[in-house]
Amino acid sequence: MKKTYRKFIFTMRTVAPVHIGSGYKFGTKEYINEDGLIYFPDMGKLYQHLVSEGLDEKFEEWLLKRNVQSTKVRLAQFLKANGQSIQGYGGYTVRMMQTTEQGGVRQHASRDRQSTEVNEVSQFIRDAYGNPYIPGSSLKGAIRTILLNTHWKDENFVQRYGNGKASEKKDVVDWGAHKNKQFDDIFNEIRVSDSNPMSNQDLLIVQKWDYSARKQIATALPVYRESIAPFKVIKFEIVTTTERATELIKNLSKYASEFYTDYKNFYLSEQPNEYVTDNLPGYASLYLGSGSGVWTKTIFRQADGIVQNRYQRMKTKMIGKGVMKLTKAPQVKYKFKESVKTLVHNNESFYEMGKVAFFIEEVTQDGL
Amino acid sequence: MAYSKVKITGLIELETGLHIGGSSAFAAIGATDSPVIKDPLTNLPIIPGSTLKGKVRSLLARAFNERTAEKPHQDTESIRRLFGDSESDEYKIGRLIFRDAHLTNADELTNKGARTLTEVKFENTIDRITAMANPRQIERAIRGSQFKFELIYDVQEETDVPEDIDLIVSGLQLLELDYLGGSGSRGYGKVDFKNFIVETAFGEFDSTELQKKLDELTPAEV
């Protein structure tokens, strides 16, 4: 039999918080924030309990109350005020990055908002059993971005319309079936599996921080995300079905390094070095999930100038190449060749959102 | 050899969510735009026999055809013999019958904490020039689901049996390395065949060798 299928194990280690959204955001009335832990009760169960206690009308009244910013109307306060326990309604609990762990000098809270106050929390994508995992589609998108920026870097991906608007030319790399043409779809020949399921212990709720190099100021934003904490290991399987796909995947670390170097020259070099999270020795780096910034998602050399236009109409204009996307998480120390290293090099615990390290190895198998 | 019918049963376990598309004609705005095919009586996801048969055939054609076939009737003889060939008199009806596979462990999944037996996955296309996102929602049968799989093999010519058996086993093995249903290149539809039972339902076919080969089918590693 022709040997066509090649299997690779893609081992990822997060070096900064990584968030992949499920599409759902918990509102301020859907969780309980206590002692650095955020409890997301099963709201159905909670409501059933309140009905059995005869508190449903009061609860509905409370739900309609405004001024959710104030801690006085939080779910915990409502339950306590009505003599109810603040736990035991199913759901799950996730650690919150503690404000006491946030030191720092050049930071200020956005507008007059307290940076300690949590508002909406974006949920991490979960399987049907409630376990967080990373979908293969997310990793594959990140791999594709790397390959388009390196292997296909000489192609022109910009498509211009009559009105001057631009978008991505999607057929530069052939895909899909065409009548009377041989099927040619290289990204169909690369199959990226979903990751192994993780647990809520691997997660940490982190806040979004923007750093402006121009103003030399880091701003806390009211955006909270359930993220994978730094230094967690996650595994994927990648199967390639043709030789050309195998070549790309075998050299993925090389392509990723090339992408990273170019990204550094293009963008990171304009940012303070201390905020750039370290790469892991022996690993290649890539950016995954939300909050890592537009330049990690685009063919950035060609998108430069076009992306900025999109933000012209918005309140938050993008100036130059925009602000650096940071987040805070506990410092991680690790040992490498007998010496102790740290992932971050600033004393404010700032990480680059979405940065991961990886290596890839082929699994040899008999028969096929 | 006298005519025999061999029944191969087993379980298809999903290692990742599976999407075999159904009709989205009545999807609500802002809700799942690509639902999965379901049994109308139980409303549980199913794996149609046509999906299995089509996928196994095209995988085998890829592996065993000496020349690339543009049409199914150009497949190599051993494949046409098993799967049928509408343009040939001899192999008009193939020797394999694939049954629709139904979900069997709904209760177990619920006990394991699954709230629903299909999940809705939010995905996103990011334009690599404008960074604009274009979200979509896709329904999947959930990881851990088991479907009862049944395959009937008609034994007609004794001399063909070893080759037929090899082909059936290879087909299932290839499927474990590939994917079932849609969007497999981004992780969907990784399946694992389990608990094969081969029995001769009619006739006197000796099924021990086929059983042995299917038992040796290595489970796909996670």
Side-chain angles (χ1 to χ4, degrees), chain A residues 1-2 4-5 7 22-23 42 125 127-129 131 133 135-137 140-141 144-145 148 157-158 166-168 170 187-188 190-194 197 237 239 241 294 297-299 302-303 306-307 310 365 368, chain B residues 16-17 55 59 62-66 109 112-116 119-123 125-133 136 140 142-145 170 173-174 177-179 184-188 190 220-222:
Chain A
M1 186 186 286
K2 280 184 260 174
T4 47
Y5 287 76
K7 204 194 264 182
S22 73
D42 181 329
I125 186 165
D127 62 22
Y129 310 98
N131 298 317
Y133 75 103
S137 53
K140 196 175 167 192
R144 187 178 170 124
T145 303
L148 295 189
F157 287 96
V158 184
S167 73
E168 183 187 348
K170 299 245 158 106
F187 283 102
N188 181 267
I190 299 171
R191 281 103 191 247
V192 184
S193 78
D194 289 349
E237 200 179 283
V239 172
T241 63
V294 287
K297 307 281 178 216
T298 51
I299 301 161
Q302 298 181 31
I306 297 172
V307 167
R310 231 190 96 203
Q365 44 180 354
L368 289 161
Chain B
T16 60
K55 187 75 194 192
L59 288 171
R62 196 182 138 140
F64 290 98
N65 278 356
E66 275 134 42
L109 293 173
K112 269 201 224 158
R115 302 180 80 186
T116 48
E119 60 187 355
V120 175
K121 184 165 179 266
F122 276 67
E123 290 183 359
T125 308
I126 299 173
D127 188 292
R128 285 186 174 80
I129 294 299
T130 62
M132 200 113 72
R136 56 179 182 260
R140 311 204 289 183
I142 65 171
R143 181 173 62 80
S145 301
S170 302
Q173 192 176 11
L174 279 167
L177 279 166
D178 212 278
Y179 61 86
S185 80
R186 53 182 124 106
Y188 291 41
K190 188 165 187 261
E221 292 155 52
V222 182

Side-chain angles (χ1 to χ4, degrees), chain A residues 298-337:
Chain A
T298 51
I299 301 161
F300 53 82
R301 297 267 175 203
Q302 298 181 31
D304 190 16
I306 297 172
V307 167
Q308 284 93 333
N309 278 337
R310 231 190 96 203
Y311 291 95
Q312 288 307 322
R313 286 166 289 149
M314 298 183 196
K315 247 193 211 160
T316 47
K317 243 190 214 173
M318 190 169 175
I319 296 161
K321 287 170 191 162
V323 292
M324 199 177 184
K325 309 290 187 183
L326 302 173
T327 188
K328 291 188 176 204
Q331 299 261 10
V332 173
K333 289 192 171 76
Y334 65 95
K335 248 187 171 171
F336 178 70
K337 288 186 176 162

Side-chain angles (χ1 to χ4, degrees), chain B residues 2-15:
Chain B
Y3 181 76
S4 301
K5 268 188 182 292
V6 184
K7 185 163 131 188
I8 303 163
T9 55
L11 287 174
I12 303 176
E13 186 169 303
L14 303 187
E15 293 194 6

